[in-house]
Amino acid sequence: YICFTNPTTDQCVDYSPQSQAMKIYPKEPHDGDETCLEFHMLSPDGAEERPSRVVCVHHERSWAWARVAVFSSHTMEWHILPETGTLLLEGDSNTIATVVSGFICWGHKEKGCILVLSTETFQFSIMDLPWPLKFPLSSFMLGQTKDGKLCIVHVHECKLVVWLRTVEDGVEGFMLHKVISLCTAVKEVTERPVLDNADVRLMTIINGFVYLSVFYWK
């Protein structure tokens, strides 16, 4: 992310060159609480002949309320949807969004869930995280496979664990897809023992590729 700060207005903007998403923190709070504006790019959909769109999500930090507006490149106008009438989440839930095929997702570690906004209906819903990731200290990242499906990736004890969103017996949920040992690969790349104070971290997921970094502590 690139962070911009306006010292005159005390406003901050975070911009992601990778996803072309922008998050703006307005100067004036809403009802005494911190709010932010998020902007997400949706590419044209050839199958449905949809134009490119920009989705603006204005929400409170705790997600007690949210409002969505959609800008179309065809009409060059904003379509503002009604404000959500129910509490989406509760508590301090500031997190980074991930745009995948048909969805904008926010992973909430402390809540053990994923907040999802459908780009078809622009309705919010909640997805449960796999039970091993519901612990507060779990480190995971949302992304998409090469065919655009939602996935969750996390690193545990030098292993890369991948979960895919599937439907089984009419029930939709995350299923363990693959566990990959990183020990040999890390040792070959760094030419150092893997357990020599090494810390493997997730950096990003782009079109089915997971990017990692390795830190060695003194």
Side-chain angles (χ1 to χ4, degrees):
Y1 280 79
I2 301 172
C3 181
F4 299 92
T5 303
N6 188 330
T8 303
T9 63
D10 291 331
Q11 282 185 294
C12 295
V13 175
D14 292 335
Y15 174 72
S16 169
Q18 171 197 326
S19 63
Q20 298 182 30
M22 181 178 291
K23 181 182 289 188
I24 300 176
Y25 301 94
K27 181 181 178 181
E28 295 297 331
H30 180 85
D31 293 337
D33 204 349
E34 182 180 347
T35 66
C36 69
L37 293 168
E38 299 185 27
F39 295 87
H40 303 283
M41 288 288 298
L42 302 181
S43 302
D45 189 340
E48 300 292 338
E49 296 184 350
R50 287 197 184 95
S52 59
R53 294 170 294 169
V54 177
V55 178
C56 173
V57 183
H58 184 202
H59 65 86
E60 190 182 45
R61 183 184 179 91
S62 63
W63 285 95
W65 61 266
R67 193 157 203 172
V68 178
V70 184
F71 181 84
S72 170
S73 61
H74 277 187
T75 63
M76 299 299 289
E77 293 180 349
W78 286 97
H79 174 59
I80 303 176
L81 285 79
E83 183 176 321
T84 55
T86 58
L87 180 69
L88 298 177
L89 294 170
E90 187 177 359
D92 189 359
S93 303
N94 188 27
T95 185
I96 298 174
T98 300
V99 180
V100 298
S101 180
F103 301 100
I104 301 175
C105 305
W106 294 264
H108 295 274
K109 300 177 184 179
E110 68 276 13
K111 306 299 178 184
C113 68
I114 302 172
L115 180 64
V116 179
L117 176 65
S118 169
T119 58
E120 294 284 341
T121 63
F122 292 102
Q123 297 293 316
F124 287 97
S125 61
I126 300 291
M127 291 183 184
D128 283 332
L129 286 171
W131 68 265
L133 302 181
K134 288 191 175 184
F135 299 100
L137 297 180
S138 298
S139 178
F140 66 87
M141 187 169 289
L142 301 176
Q144 64 180 7
T145 61
K146 287 185 178 181
D147 54 2
K149 293 182 179 179
L150 178 64
C151 68
I152 298 178
V153 177
H154 71 108
V155 176
H156 178 66
E157 296 180 350
C158 209
K159 293 179 181 178
L160 186 71
V161 185
V162 181
W163 302 78
L164 295 182
R165 189 75 175 171
T166 59
V167 178
E168 187 174 352
D169 297 330
V171 179
E172 190 174 8
F174 285 99
M175 181 173 292
L176 181 62
H177 174 65
K178 190 172 291 186
V179 179
I180 305 170
S181 176
L182 300 174
C183 295
T184 302
V186 171
K187 186 175 181 180
E188 290 178 354
V189 172
T190 62
E191 298 181 349
R192 295 183 61 175
V194 176
L195 298 180
D196 182 18
N197 298 323
D199 185 9
V200 182
R201 299 182 182 180
L202 288 169
M203 300 304 293
T204 189
I205 305 171
I206 305 176
N207 297 327
F209 288 89
V210 180
Y211 294 84
L212 307 163
S213 62
V214 182
F215 291 83
Y216 283 95
W217 305 102
K218 292 183 180 180

